[in-house]
Amino acid sequence: MKYNTQMRLASNLKRLRVSYGFSQKELAERLQIDRSLYALYESGKRCPDPELLYDVARIFGIRMEILLDSDPESVASQADCSKLCGAEDLRLLSIYRRLSPFSKGLLMERAELLEMTDRIRLEQKKACRCVKQKD
């Protein structure tokens, strides 16, 4: 791995860990490695293998390529998004990103229709409860 890429990875690992409030020891335990080895990854002195990077991405709920992103703001926003979104939300977002522009448009139209249908059903349920309470 090129030195610049290795240092970017090290910086992103630290940024994510701190963002989630983990100590090096806590994250190392989750990864089932020694804290001193994890510290070497964060300092850029060693490079983690792909399997470990996959585990890191899974823990933080991000895509693996984010670990190599050169934009610190992008890494931070991905971390924030994964903290706010559940696994199902992230899965849906991942699928959406792989769609063509045409399919994205169709999906948005369908999602708006489904949202409107849910809103109507909710209003009908509320109206039905009100009628039952009056009786």
Side-chain angles (χ1 to χ4, degrees):
M1 184 178 287
K2 291 182 179 179
Y3 179 76
N4 287 343
T5 305
Q6 189 168 333
M7 294 312 292
R8 189 177 331 127
L9 173 62
S11 174
N12 289 341
L13 287 172
K14 183 173 183 176
R15 183 173 287 109
L16 286 165
R17 177 184 60 77
V18 170
S19 171
Y20 275 75
F22 291 134
S23 67
Q24 284 186 344
K25 182 180 181 203
E26 290 169 327
L27 187 53
E29 286 173 357
R30 283 179 168 235
L31 294 168
Q32 299 177 346
I33 61 172
D34 191 64
R35 190 214 56 85
S36 60
L37 177 58
Y38 182 79
L40 291 173
Y41 297 150
E42 267 192 21
S43 68
K45 293 179 181 168
R46 287 204 52 189
C47 201
D49 63 27
E51 189 173 323
L52 188 99
L53 292 177
Y54 174 80
D55 291 340
V56 168
R58 193 174 42 79
I59 287 169
F60 293 125
I62 60 171
R63 298 182 328 272
M64 279 180 64
E65 62 264 23
I66 296 301
L67 295 171
L68 300 174
D69 201 314
S70 59
D71 179 14
E73 292 303 315
S74 176
V75 175
S77 70
Q78 286 290 322
D80 290 343
C81 180
S82 70
K83 284 189 262 184
L84 296 173
C85 300
E88 202 170 89
D89 298 328
L90 292 172
R91 182 171 160 250
L92 184 59
L93 183 58
S94 175
I95 292 169
Y96 178 81
R97 286 182 174 145
R98 293 190 305 262
L99 294 175
S100 69
F102 176 78
S103 294
K104 285 178 181 178
L106 289 175
L107 180 60
M108 290 305 293
E109 288 174 5
R110 182 70 175 147
E112 289 167 351
L113 180 63
L114 288 169
E115 190 266 338
M116 185 172 58
T117 302
D118 281 350
R119 193 173 45 238
I120 290 169
R121 285 183 182 159
L122 183 62
E123 289 171 7
Q124 287 174 342
K125 279 185 178 180
K126 286 180 183 177
C128 191
R129 282 189 214 135
C130 288
V131 170
K132 288 180 181 177
Q133 288 177 354
K134 289 181 181 178
D135 291 340

